């Protein structure tokens, strides 16, 4: 089920791959080096590539937890799969009953470079981050693709003992995780099977706000698009169009969300647009400002937690394998010292 063995893949990344910490600075218009080897049909409208740590074409009674790790803007799912495996190993016994899943949201440049079949889903270079419709073969939202993964996990014939699903992402993947926590419809299938779900949002460059207020109002005042989705509630894509902002917010505050913030992630964020800058000077500040803003909203206390990871900057591997990262993904003990 793997395009590369773990050891070969780790060696490839160490020798020639960009680190997850630096990926937001790299160009995303180049084709990916590796395409994930597994496929999932999304509503019969296209095939989504993904990595799986177990073959889910057969029953998996030993799996009680599924952890979805979302790649960043480079679409480098192979490197995130390695990072996911590193976190699973670091979790010890807590990770042994977990299925690790890394979907891959490809672009047209990837399809052409790897001569992929016409039914392979592909999005614009950045549209998949906010739930936009695919460019081909059908206009499927990237969020519908995540819905399809959750529907597969809700199948008790395959996962008779699944108890928990975690949707996580660092950096660009953290942006996707936060927006899907607002918009995602796939949770309903899990709830019907009494399967819990958690969202782990690690060091994203920006967040989707429900109000028009921002931490840096002077920048927002001179930024016409500061409240357009994926930064705010204006101009939402079709996947979100059937719910009001108030309904989306109420659903979001009820969901189990952990904001995982590296205390040293204080360099200027890669999102230098006025929309991003209106949210604060760096990722660490933006994360705390957003959580504070949500706590002050008139909707009751959010089911959200903010966990600082002391001594870590913009480093996906160190974030996910930290004590708090392992607690967020696998409910491992020991996070208290890092909060």
């Amino acid at each position: 089920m793997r395009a590369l063995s773990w050891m070969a893949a780790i060696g490839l990344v160490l020798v020639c791959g960009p680190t997850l910490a630096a990926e937001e600075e790299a160009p995303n218009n180049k084709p990916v080096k590796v395409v994930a080897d597994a496929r999932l049909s999304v509503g019969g409208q296209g095939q989504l590539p993904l990595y799986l740590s177990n073959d889910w074409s057969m029953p998996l009674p030993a799996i009680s937890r599924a952890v979805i790790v979302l790649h960043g803007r480079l679409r480098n799912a192979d490197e995130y799969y390695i990072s996911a495996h590193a976190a699973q190993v670091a979790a010890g016994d807590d990770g042994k009953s977990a299925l690790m899943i890394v979907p891959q949201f490809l672009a047209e440049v990837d399809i052409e470079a790897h001569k992929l079949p016409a039914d392979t889903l592909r999005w614009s270079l950045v549209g998949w981050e906010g739930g936009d419709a695919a460019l081909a073969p059908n206009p499927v939202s990237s969020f519908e693709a995540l819905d399809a993964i959750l529907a597969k996990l809700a199948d008790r014939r395959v996962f008779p003992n699944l108890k928990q699903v975690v949707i996580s992402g660092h950096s660009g993947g953290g942006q996707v995780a936060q927006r899907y926590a607002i918009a995602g419809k796939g949770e309903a299938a899990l709830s019907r099977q009494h399967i819990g779900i958690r969202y782990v949002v690690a060091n994203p460059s920006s967040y989707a706000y429900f109000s028009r207020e921002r931490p840096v109002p002077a920048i927002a005042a001179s930024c016409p698009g500061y409240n357009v989705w994926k930064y705010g509630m204006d101009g939402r894509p079709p996947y979100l169009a059937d719910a009001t902002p108030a309904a989306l917010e109420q659903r979001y505050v009820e969901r189990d969300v952990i904001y995982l913030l590296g205390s040293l992630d204080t360099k200027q964020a890669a999102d230098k647009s006025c929309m991003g800058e209106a949210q604060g000077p760096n990722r660490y500040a933006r994360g705390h400002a957003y959580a504070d803003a949500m706590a002050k909203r008139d909707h009751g206390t959010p089911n959200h937690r903010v966990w600082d990871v002391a001594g870590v900057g913009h480093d996906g591997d160190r974030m996910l394998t930290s004590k708090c990262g392992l607690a967020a993904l696998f409910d491992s003990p020991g996070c208290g010292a890092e909060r």
Side-chain angles (χ1 to χ4, degrees):
M1 295 298 296
R2 301 170 178 83
L4 300 169
S5 71
W6 283 120
M7 292 307 297
I10 290 171
L12 176 64
V13 171
L14 290 177
V15 171
C16 62
T19 66
L20 300 188
E23 72 161 51
E24 281 205 352
E25 306 298 334
N28 65 337
N29 59 354
K30 297 180 179 179
V32 297
K33 295 177 181 178
V34 183
V35 176
D37 55 342
R39 295 292 183 272
L40 175 67
S41 176
V42 180
Q45 299 188 71
Q47 297 291 318
L48 177 73
L50 71 170
Y51 286 104
L52 300 167
S53 61
N54 297 79
D55 181 0
W56 65 4
S57 66
M58 59 185 70
L60 294 171
I63 297 298
S64 61
R65 176 181 299 266
V67 179
I68 301 169
V69 179
L70 300 168
H71 62 70
R73 67 193 298 269
L74 297 186
R75 309 179 302 284
N76 49 340
D78 56 321
E79 295 180 35
Y80 275 83
Y81 188 36
I82 294 167
S83 183
H85 177 66
Q88 184 180 22
V89 171
D93 289 343
D94 295 324
K96 289 181 178 178
S97 61
L99 168 68
M100 308 303 290
I101 306 168
V102 181
Q104 191 169 32
F105 299 99
L106 297 175
E108 190 66 49
V109 64
D110 307 316
I111 306 299
E112 296 172 356
H114 293 275
K115 297 180 172 57
L116 298 176
D119 64 352
T120 307
L121 287 164
R122 78 292 302 261
W123 286 265
S124 68
L125 289 173
V126 295
W128 57 272
E129 293 181 344
D132 284 359
L135 301 178
N138 290 293
V140 178
S141 167
S142 53
F143 291 166
E144 288 181 79
L146 292 176
D147 291 345
I149 294 175
L150 298 189
K152 177 71 175 182
L153 295 173
D155 186 348
R156 285 300 190 189
R157 295 169 299 179
V158 180
F159 299 100
N161 298 309
L162 187 66
K163 296 180 177 63
Q164 180 77 31
V165 173
V166 178
I167 299 178
S168 66
H170 176 263
S171 192
Q175 293 189 48
V176 181
Q178 197 265 331
R179 274 71 174 193
Y180 188 74
I182 291 173
K185 302 172 185 176
E187 185 170 318
L190 297 177
S191 297
R192 287 192 292 270
Q193 299 299 327
H194 307 289
I195 300 170
I197 185 167
R198 174 183 302 155
Y199 304 86
V200 179
V201 179
N203 291 344
S205 283
S206 67
Y207 299 79
Y209 274 75
F210 293 98
S211 76
R212 301 188 72 87
E213 298 177 357
R214 292 295 184 274
V216 190
I219 294 179
S222 60
C223 182
Y226 84 95
N227 201 51
V228 172
W229 182 265
K230 60 183 181 175
Y231 300 92
M233 291 294 115
D234 297 343
R236 301 186 306 282
Y239 182 93
L240 289 81
D242 61 348
T244 65
L248 291 170
E249 182 174 12
Q250 188 58 49
R251 185 165 63 190
Y252 183 57
V253 300
E254 293 171 356
R255 288 180 165 170
D256 181 8
V257 179
I258 295 175
Y259 304 105
L260 202 62
L261 305 175
S263 67
L264 298 184
D265 198 352
T266 55
K267 295 181 180 179
Q268 185 179 22
D271 187 345
K272 302 177 180 65
S273 68
C274 61
M275 294 84 78
E277 293 293 322
Q279 298 190 12
N282 55 61
R283 296 181 187 88
Y284 183 71
R286 292 177 189 182
H288 276 282
Y290 184 78
D292 289 346
M294 288 301 301
K296 295 173 183 176
R297 299 280 291 162
D298 186 19
H299 46 43
T301 303
N303 187 25
H304 300 173
R305 290 165 283 177
V306 182
W307 292 355
D308 280 5
V309 180
V312 177
H314 198 66
D315 188 318
D317 288 321
R318 291 189 64 196
M319 289 292 292
L320 295 182
T321 58
S322 68
K323 290 180 180 178
C324 281
L326 299 180
L329 298 182
F330 303 101
D331 287 312
S332 298
C335 176
E338 295 188 45
R339 295 190 193 187

